[in-house]
Amino acid sequence: MSNQENKLPMWPAVVHAKCPRCRRGAMFTTPMYGFQSQKMNKTCPHCGLEFEREPGYFYVSMLISYAMFVAEMITLAVALHVLTGSNNPWVYVSVIISVGVVLSPFNFRYSRVILLHWLSPGLHYQPEFSADKQ
């Protein structure tokens, strides 16, 4: 089978939080929302890629998560103003904090996915790692 036949699309791998090198192995062992905290695999179960490339590697994902949070909250504040027209700051504070708490697991997971898929130098999709194990 050629590399072109092995090639997996990027967006399903990003949406489902799959390994950036093989696009088959799961990055997380637990669901995004649940009664247990999110746990990330140390290595890809399919190709063996070590996700934390160096100690403290995922500290950068906090900056990505912060940027996501700010974008979400500005969008929410504008939407609230357009939909309600309220000038009461407690409406904005209560809604923004509530939505921020609900979206925090999403931001945690996808900040790491964004870091590994797009912002890690030297880490690219390699179709040969997508092949089924023998």
Side-chain angles (χ1 to χ4, degrees), residues 100-133:
V101 168
V102 169
L103 288 178
S104 64
F106 173 86
N107 290 347
F108 173 80
R109 179 171 292 222
Y110 284 102
S111 64
R112 289 179 177 219
V113 169
I114 289 169
L115 175 64
L116 286 173
H117 276 270
W118 287 299
L119 301 177
S120 294
L123 182 58
H124 304 289
Y125 174 58
Q126 298 174 3
E128 60 272 13
F129 285 100
S130 296
D132 288 335
K133 294 179 181 178

Side-chain angles (χ1 to χ4, degrees), residues 4 8 12 18 20 22 28-29 38 43 45 47 51 61 65 68 74 97 99 102 107 111 125-127:
Q4 195 62 18
L8 295 174
K18 300 294 183 181
C22 69
F28 292 86
T29 60
Q38 293 187 57
T43 60
C47 70
F51 292 127
S61 69
S65 178
M68 291 169 66
I74 289 173
I97 288 176
V99 172
V102 169
N107 290 347
S111 64
Y125 174 58
Q126 298 174 3

Side-chain angles (χ1 to χ4, degrees), residues 15-92:
V15 169
H16 297 292
K18 300 294 183 181
C19 171
R21 183 168 72 176
C22 69
R23 295 184 182 166
R24 300 228 7 220
M27 289 174 58
F28 292 86
T29 60
T30 55
M32 187 179 338
Y33 290 97
F35 292 111
Q36 50 187 325
S37 65
Q38 293 187 57
K39 299 275 190 247
M40 189 169 185
N41 284 322
K42 292 193 184 302
T43 60
C44 174
H46 185 77
C47 70
L49 173 71
E50 190 171 333
F51 292 127
E52 190 168 10
R53 300 171 61 86
E54 59 187 39
Y57 186 71
F58 288 116
Y59 283 128
V60 175
S61 69
M62 289 191 303
L63 299 173
I64 298 166
S65 178
Y66 174 72
M68 291 169 66
F69 178 78
V70 168
E72 293 159 357
M73 298 309 111
I74 289 173
T75 303
L76 186 60
V78 169
L80 275 172
H81 181 70
V82 168
L83 294 174
T84 66
S86 175
N87 289 328
N88 183 353
W90 291 109
V91 170
Y92 292 94

